[in-house]
Amino acid sequence: MAINTFAVCDDVFAPQELDGLAQLGDRLVQRRAQVTAQGQHDPALRITQVAWITPEPEHRELFARIGTAVRRLNAQFFGFDITELEPLQYTVYHGAEGGHYGWHVDAGPNTPAPRKLSLSIQLSEPGAYAGCDLQFQSGPKIDTAPRTRGAVIAFPSFFLHRVTPILSGTRKALVVWANGPQFR
């Protein structure tokens, strides 16, 4: 089975629901994301603000909707053995801060369980910011994900990806990781 670089689903959330997700994220305590290289915080790797949405009872419906989208995209495009979702990461890139996230993978020895599928849910309108593209490295080729508001972009967690520097405005996204047993 060939694995796609990324897959997109556009019909998971209505515009009013996307507004509600952004409002939920904006009400949370946001902190500057900390990414380390050799044990030291390295702002050259990432500048973003993040907050966490946990699977508490008031978020049960949100996790169920995202879980349905994960299962649908996974069955159609990837075929991984997925058993759970991690807490959701509300991520904000501000133009004034030079927000970005350099080339990285979401899987590795420091993740809580084997991450298999990563998703980015676009909460901002494409015209609300310049730059800040989600891109994937596939050999010598770089693929850019769509910026459509509401797009749920799914990709294998072990694929190299980045978010290019934001030039102006603000980009908001909800990041999801789906985990499962070790690959065999």
Side-chain angles (χ1 to χ4, degrees):
M1 168 191 231
I3 296 179
N4 297 317
T5 305
F6 66 89
V8 180
C9 184
D10 290 321
D11 60 355
V12 177
F13 296 102
Q16 302 86 349
E17 293 172 314
L18 296 168
D19 292 341
L21 289 172
Q23 290 166 3
L24 169 63
D26 288 343
R27 286 192 306 269
L28 299 171
V29 175
Q30 297 176 25
R31 301 192 192 298
R32 185 171 221 148
Q34 298 289 314
V35 176
T36 59
Q38 287 91 30
Q40 299 291 320
H41 172 64
D42 186 354
L45 291 175
R46 183 178 193 188
I47 297 176
T48 60
Q49 299 293 319
V50 297
W52 298 94
I53 302 171
T54 57
E56 297 175 21
E58 64 265 25
H59 303 133
R60 187 173 295 137
E61 183 179 328
L62 172 60
F63 274 78
R65 292 275 297 283
I66 291 172
T68 298
V70 166
R71 286 188 298 279
R72 184 169 76 178
L73 286 161
N74 184 52
Q76 187 174 358
F77 296 102
F78 304 104
F80 296 142
D81 185 4
I82 291 177
T83 56
E84 64 185 7
L85 298 180
E86 289 184 35
L88 312 176
Q89 184 186 85
Y90 178 70
T91 306
V92 181
Y93 296 87
H94 294 288
E97 295 178 348
H100 68 279
Y101 198 166
W103 290 112
H104 67 285
V105 297
D106 291 340
N110 296 326
T111 57
R115 287 180 174 165
K116 298 202 171 172
L117 202 58
S118 298
L119 296 92
S120 178
I121 303 170
Q122 298 292 102
L123 301 177
S124 298
E125 291 287 352
Y129 60 95
C132 214
D133 289 317
L134 175 58
Q135 297 184 325
F136 305 91
Q137 178 86 44
S138 179
K141 183 179 169 202
I142 295 177
D143 294 318
T144 301
R147 297 165 58 111
T148 309
R149 184 171 192 237
V152 178
I153 301 145
F155 55 95
S157 298
F158 51 81
F159 273 20
L160 196 60
H161 60 286
R162 72 176 175 185
V163 176
T164 62
I166 189 166
L167 304 174
S168 64
T170 300
R171 176 181 176 245
K172 298 175 182 181
L174 196 59
V175 178
V176 180
W177 297 285
N179 302 339
Q182 293 291 337
F183 283 106
R184 298 188 273 162

